[in-house]
Amino acid sequence: MTTLDFIVIAAALAAIGVVIWYFFIASRGHAPMRHEH
Amino acid sequence: MSDTTHRESIRIPVTGMTCSACQARVQSALARQPGVDDASVNLMMESAAVTFDPAVTNPHALVSAVRNTGYGAELPAGDLSPLAEQEARDLSQREELRAMTRKALVSVAAGVLAMLLPMMLPMHTPALPFVLLALSATVMLWAGRHFYVHAWQALRHHSADMDTLIAAGTGAAFLYSLVATFAPGFFVAHGVAPNLYYEAVIVIIALVLTGNVFEARAKRSTSAALRALVELQPATARVVRGEAVVEVPVSSVIAGDVMLVRPGERIPVDGEVISGSSAVDESMLTGESLPVEKGAGDRVIGATVNRTGAFHYRATTLGADSTLARIVRLMRDAQSSRAPVQALADRVSEIFVPVVICLSIATFATWFVALHVGGASPGTATVRAFAAAVAVLIIACPCAMGLAVPTAVMVATGRGAASGILIKGGEALQRTGDVSTVVLDKTGTITEGAPAVSDVLLAPGARRGTDALLELVSSLEAQSAHPLADAIVRHAKAKGLAKQNIQSNEYLVGRGAIGTVDGVALVVGNAALMRDRGVSTAALDDRASALAHEGKTIVFVAADGALAGMLAIADPIRATSRTAIDRLRAMGLAVVMLTGDDQRTADAIASAAGVDRVVAGVLPEGKVAEIARLQREGAIVAMVGDGVNDAPALAQADIGIAMGGGSAIATEAADVVLMRSDLDAAVQSILLSRRTMRTMRQNLFWAFIYNVIGIPVAAGALYPAFGLLLSPVLASAAMAFSSVSVVANSLRLRRANLS
């Protein structure tokens, strides 16, 4: 594995982290639990 | 509910929703409004049903809450009848479909052009990338615009839906190609071929749009039954005004107007026949295939077709209260309701898109590293990894999941209505499918519900003949409202017997009547009443017992203290009851008959009808207790009744099925309303519900399995072993196919054979 590979992996992990943060953590209070019947 | 505060309900039309994630978003936006108790958004009907506290919020606030989520909403037009409302929705759906079809066709043409151009033009034509760029930008901005608008709106609200996936997939491909077009040197410098993905962008949008068009067309046919009902409404009526008959629009008919209907015409509104007679085809509303004879005093239903004769009738219920409007409203509410099985699909589709985006990123990184470590140049690795990542984005479609349940509910309720079975929504469908025990009311359900005198017997040595006896008894019973009394009076009237003077009368609940008619002291009633009054029935006991074993109800008559004779009253079993009950048992259901009759009569009817369990001698309250007892034993109970006096029992049962439909009480208390008085319709409703549940499970299974298989394949799971990889274009075709196949599976319910 070269440095390039590590950069790509780190970037991907960071991107996944952002996605999870944005849709599941930062959305709290913004999109609360859906209404259940 | 102990909460006594005032609540209001409103139905808000919502536009622009394309998948279940949109629906979830609008629903949660409404649910979190202060003062909202309940919000249910339906994607298929494009509407939100909201129950709210008018002291806290108002319809305007609700509409703007929806608009803030990025979807269109309007205050419902208050004075529209359900029929007009349905027509308006049809029109806008048709226009939407037309626009969508046009966009899909143009995109497909552009896609074909984009694929052919590079082959027809000489290699490395310098203008080619720019031509393709212009083509794809046009398709994206014009035909695919709503994908990006919705994706952006969703993103701003920290949510993502299927438009997000399409926007991200095509957007990434477009940006990549854009850089390759304007700065090919940048790629070349890093050892990457400046590949163009313009045609992939165009073809993906074209395929998704084509899928949407098929889906929208299929969705339209799921509500075809509702539309067919709306179209039944006649435009004009012939009203008798003084001497003349004038043709006026149906909307200007008022209650009490007298109307003329000729053979072959559609009956404009509900009413009651005044004069004339005819056979009326009510099949469109009741599913009853034979025309029904109508004469003076009979009720006719608007939108049914008059076949043989002309008649005059008086308008009764109109507009929103009419039978047709009530059926349409019931069906519309049913179709927009949610089945409990949907909850799973909802939860999955909510977290689905962000998870897919993560998977796509992981796919890119994995592929890149694997290829690079395997010796590929960074350029080749990037291109291949990029294609796989885009394919993952494109193939993952929560759409089929969102369609799995609502399309089945819509088709099934429509299919039911075509057979005169009105099912009140997804929950009712699901519970009807789970029923284990069917409780049948005897009178009016298993039997015709029209008792008639079958035998009149005189006691040995009686002084009066049968006619004289009947004359006395019918005079006494003429003032009673009891169905048996009614049967005696009708019998006497049919024989042309006169009425005598009544000197005194008294009616005893559950026993009979006593009184003096024409100077004769009469006691008319059951054996218990005779015993009380010291009248011996011994002379007729053998005959009475024999008749009771035939399922007939016995009424003894004593005149001046001595037994004079007896009447046997039969309520014949409906022709279809026996086979219907046999079918219920063949379906593995326990069948129980409830009746107020005595045990002997009940047993006789039960054995003739094929019922295995009988509970006799129950009063209306007793029916509720009996159903509750069955439920405690673990049975899921469907109660079938005529809805007239068993509304409490219908409500107690897990599923209330009201027969002979249309009465307001029945529609209120029951979960399933049968428009025809035929036990077989009850069987069909259970059968239809079971089929529907099966279809829903199939749909959910296919929608899930499609993603479970599709995503790994797109990510390249099969590549190491088989060298199999999905191109983004193939992925978009597969995605379109999955939604269409789910809708098509639901549409199969339309042809379900229920007999």
Side-chain angles (χ1 to χ4, degrees), chain B residues 655-680:
Chain B
I655 282 292
I657 302 179
M659 280 212 333
S663 91
I665 304 172
T667 12
E668 208 42 56
D671 302 292
V672 177
V673 180
L674 307 177
M675 295 302 289
R676 68 199 136 112
S677 297
D678 177 353
L679 201 48
D680 199 49

Side-chain angles (χ1 to χ4, degrees), chain B residues 603-619:
Chain B
D603 283 343
I605 296 278
S607 77
V611 175
D612 35 25
R613 237 173 104 185
V614 180
V615 184
V618 282
L619 299 168

Side-chain angles (χ1 to χ4, degrees), chain B residues 458 463-475 497 500:
Chain B
L458 296 176
R463 286 189 295 122
R464 290 177 189 78
T466 47
D467 283 0
L469 189 72
L470 255 178
E471 221 168 69
L472 290 175
V473 174
S474 69
S475 305
L497 300 176
Q500 307 292 334

Side-chain angles (χ1 to χ4, degrees), chain B residues 13-58:
Chain B
V14 180
T15 53
M17 295 187 293
T18 52
C19 70
S20 54
C22 307
Q23 164 198 328
R25 196 153 65 240
V26 174
Q27 187 163 303
S28 60
L30 282 170
R32 84 175 166 263
Q33 285 296 303
V36 169
D37 289 344
D38 189 274
S40 169
V41 176
N42 188 278
L43 173 63
M44 309 288 295
M45 303 300 289
E46 299 181 316
S47 71
V50 190
T51 310
F52 63 96
D53 181 354
V56 181
T57 187
N58 59 57

